[in-house]
Amino acid sequence: MSKRQEKGRELEDFVENVYSVLLKNEHLKNSKIEKNHIEIGNSEAKHQFDVFCEVEIAGVSHKVGIECKNHNKKIEKGMVQEYYGKLHDCNNVIGFMISAKGYQKGAKTFGKQYGIKLITTEDLPNIYSLSLTHVKWLLPDENTYGDPFWTIMEVTEDGKNIGTCYSPNEKIALFISKYYPHRETALNGAIALFLSKKSAERVLKNTGENGYAVFGVSRQHLRALYYMAKNFNQPFAIALKLGLEKDGRILMFEHSYDQIFDNFDM
């Protein structure tokens, strides 16, 4: 086996492991994941996927096909076009490509135009939300009421939830951590939860960020966030007050995973 093949297999093993951990969510009992999966296309051609995940919810099968590229250079447009042809021939398969070195401009443009998610290994902590955005109960939308919380998430140009939570920095939030004193002040990567929609909107306005919106978090959405946060060691930070402090920041307190789980009947 060549060094390139070894590197490719290492990435496939890593991605398979990430998915295996994430699919332990008890809502996803009817699921399977395998490497080097063969899917029969509409043309009856056999298509190989490096990592393939299938989840069944309410009798509906949701499929995710993942192409792993552990190359030493950025992925070219032609590789993405080739992968698109594979997806186009298959039924109801959401396509992802994971690259260790990123993508050339033409590849990014083509992927965006045809709905192929192009991510890097650095994006893997967000792969849970990225890969299952088509399973509606996992992500809140504009009609979701915040019970028990509200949060800020990244959106597409037409306002659809992408699934990536906004993480306030120390200029936006004053963090207090009782449970993990070793945390940095900014609680890097924290999932911010708010008690009211207006409180979250104030913080979003204060950030000056574009491409984000406020969404309600139901208990089932909180459960999905809980599993993602715990598996990737992302802290939870809950706003203690509805309004901002005198310095314009929101006061946020870090809560342990067990506290979140126990207090909201998950």
Side-chain angles (χ1 to χ4, degrees):
M1 182 184 296
S2 67
K3 289 186 178 180
R4 179 175 173 177
Q5 288 174 320
E6 288 180 0
K7 289 175 66 178
R9 182 164 293 182
E10 288 175 1
L11 180 57
E12 291 169 15
D13 289 342
F14 178 62
V15 172
E16 181 192 29
N17 183 61
V18 168
Y19 260 88
S20 296
V21 171
L22 295 175
L23 292 178
K24 288 180 180 179
N25 185 327
E26 67 182 66
H27 278 296
L28 304 177
K29 291 178 180 178
N30 296 323
S31 63
K32 64 180 180 180
I33 180 171
E34 61 182 20
K35 292 192 301 180
N36 300 317
H37 171 83
I38 300 297
E39 188 80 358
I40 306 299
N42 296 322
S43 66
E44 299 186 357
K46 295 181 179 180
H47 300 290
Q48 184 266 340
F49 290 90
D50 293 333
V51 181
F52 194 86
C53 171
E54 186 169 0
V55 179
E56 184 177 321
I57 299 177
V60 179
S61 179
H62 303 272
K63 301 176 182 180
V64 179
I66 305 167
E67 191 89 347
C68 300
K69 299 293 186 184
N70 203 356
H71 295 190
N72 292 322
K73 60 181 182 179
K74 293 183 177 181
I75 299 303
E76 300 173 353
K77 178 182 177 180
M79 291 185 179
V80 183
Q81 287 176 315
E82 183 179 348
Y83 188 49
Y84 171 74
K86 181 189 300 187
L87 293 170
H88 186 68
D89 194 37
C90 296
N91 288 320
N92 191 31
V93 178
I94 301 298
F96 279 80
M97 185 174 284
I98 300 176
S99 167
K101 296 296 182 180
Y103 304 87
Q104 294 183 4
K105 184 177 180 180
K108 291 180 180 179
T109 301
F110 185 88
K112 183 177 181 180
Q113 182 176 358
Y114 290 99
I116 301 175
K117 296 289 186 180
L118 303 180
I119 65 178
T120 67
T121 49
E122 295 179 355
D123 297 318
L124 283 174
N126 294 319
I127 200 170
Y128 182 64
S129 55
L130 285 169
S131 61
L132 295 176
T133 53
H134 58 295
V135 182
K136 298 302 183 183
W137 64 264
L138 279 174
L139 288 178
D141 59 25
E142 63 276 9
N143 297 316
T144 304
Y145 183 77
D147 179 18
F149 295 113
W150 298 82
T151 194
I152 299 171
M153 305 187 86
E154 189 176 0
V155 295
T156 60
E157 292 181 0
D158 58 354
K160 300 298 182 183
N161 191 348
I162 291 177
T164 304
C165 294
Y166 174 75
S167 182
N169 57 37
E170 57 188 359
K171 294 181 179 179
I172 302 300
L174 173 63
F175 292 100
I176 300 175
S177 178
K178 175 181 178 182
Y179 299 95
Y180 305 100
H182 63 281
R183 297 276 197 208
E184 296 181 13
T185 304
L187 295 183
N188 292 334
I191 296 176
L193 301 174
F194 301 88
L195 301 178
S196 78
K197 182 178 182 180
K198 288 184 177 181
S199 178
E201 288 174 340
R202 290 190 195 99
V203 171
L204 179 56
K205 182 179 180 180
N206 200 35
T207 67
E209 292 276 5
N210 295 316
Y212 289 87
V214 173
F215 292 94
V217 178
S218 68
R219 277 173 170 74
Q220 68 179 19
H221 295 129
L222 183 61
R223 179 187 290 268
L225 287 174
Y226 165 86
Y227 280 101
M228 180 182 71
K230 188 171 185 179
N231 285 322
F232 288 105
N233 197 32
Q234 290 182 271
F236 274 111
I238 300 177
L240 295 181
K241 296 181 179 180
L242 296 175
L244 303 176
E245 299 296 296
K246 291 182 179 180
D247 62 2
R249 294 189 292 175
I250 189 81
L251 180 62
M252 308 203 77
F253 189 90
E254 182 176 14
H255 289 263
S256 70
Y257 305 120
D258 290 339
Q259 272 203 326
I260 295 292
F261 192 91
D262 293 338
N263 283 274
F264 294 97
D265 301 322
M266 295 195 295

